[in-house]
Amino acid sequence: MLPSDIGMVANKRNNTDGEFMVASACRIPSAPIASELAMISGHNDEDRPSASEQRSKMMRSVRRKDTLPEMTVRKAVHSAGLRYRLHVKYLPGSPDIVFPSRKLAVFVHGCFWHRHTNCRHATTPKTRVAFWTDKFRRNRDRDAEVTLALQTLGWDVMVLWECDVKSGGYLDPLLRRLRQTRASQEH
């Protein structure tokens, strides 16, 4: 064994005095040996997913419903004694939270996907910029179409943003809006 192949390994072993001692030297495998070990164990760089495969896996894990911000809003609204319906399919855009008696549809939008204006989370990826720009434009256009369709049907629409939900600044405006819709229905 060459001196360059030896590394000291500190093992924490108690001796009789309760002190720790350096235990032994071990052989540190060189690069060719490491790649040989990887081949034997069945792990090598070719088995790793490519960057695009990793991105695809990450994007598949993004949820359409029951996201953390949505669950946070639902929990707060429920604890305030209000009842609602979820993802009502017969309404345009299938709103995240629906208050049918008040005709209020609530969307909990992610800042990245729906391009929250002046939000630090609404960044554009540096790769495939044209694709992302077009995708974000289509998302915003669809959001506007859904809002208009709901308003045409007589529904009030409220959008809560992910960053506002995380900071806790969403509940008062939502409760105020719910009180307003209830008061306007009573008159």
Side-chain angles (χ1 to χ4, degrees):
M1 197 178 329
L2 298 174
S4 62
D5 292 336
I6 297 177
M8 293 301 292
V9 177
N11 288 332
K12 294 182 178 179
R13 290 189 182 152
N14 277 331
N15 63 12
T16 55
D17 299 75
E19 297 176 10
F20 293 104
M21 353 183 317
V22 174
S24 62
C26 70
R27 186 171 193 275
I28 299 173
S30 63
I33 294 173
S35 63
E36 193 174 309
L37 289 173
M39 288 177 63
I40 292 169
S41 68
H43 299 290
N44 59 33
D45 290 340
E46 293 170 5
D47 291 339
R48 288 189 195 157
S50 68
S52 62
E53 289 170 339
Q54 288 175 341
R55 173 72 52 98
S56 293
K57 182 179 178 183
M58 183 179 67
M59 297 310 264
R60 276 193 304 273
S61 71
V62 175
R63 295 177 164 196
R64 292 176 53 108
K65 59 184 181 178
D66 299 334
T67 62
L68 182 61
E70 183 183 329
M71 298 297 284
T72 302
V73 172
R74 286 165 37 184
K75 184 177 179 180
V77 168
H78 192 272
S79 67
L82 300 165
R83 300 301 176 251
Y84 49 84
R85 299 210 35 214
L86 299 175
H87 314 288
V88 177
K89 302 268 189 270
Y90 64 83
L91 289 175
S94 185
D96 298 318
I97 302 171
V98 177
F99 297 92
S101 64
R102 295 179 165 110
K103 288 198 93 164
L104 176 65
V106 178
F107 291 95
V108 182
H109 281 338
C111 298
F112 175 78
W113 294 106
H114 297 272
R115 312 313 293 162
H116 188 195
T117 310
N118 297 326
C119 179
R120 67 183 179 93
H121 301 294
T123 59
T124 302
K126 298 197 182 344
T127 59
R128 302 179 62 206
V129 175
F131 165 80
W132 286 107
T133 303
D134 185 50
K135 176 155 186 64
F136 294 144
R137 182 192 49 77
R138 288 192 321 263
N139 286 355
R140 301 266 328 233
D141 292 348
R142 185 174 44 253
D143 292 343
E145 289 171 11
V146 165
T147 299
L148 182 61
L150 284 166
Q151 290 171 339
T152 303
L153 292 172
W155 285 81
D156 193 14
V157 178
M158 182 173 190
V159 174
L160 301 177
W161 292 99
E162 176 184 19
C163 62
D164 293 334
V165 171
K166 285 181 180 177
S167 69
Y170 70 95
L171 192 56
D172 288 337
L174 175 60
L175 294 176
R176 195 173 321 114
R177 188 81 161 268
L178 285 166
R179 278 189 233 111
Q180 289 171 350
T181 56
R182 179 55 126 188
S184 65
Q185 288 178 346
E186 292 174 354
H187 288 90

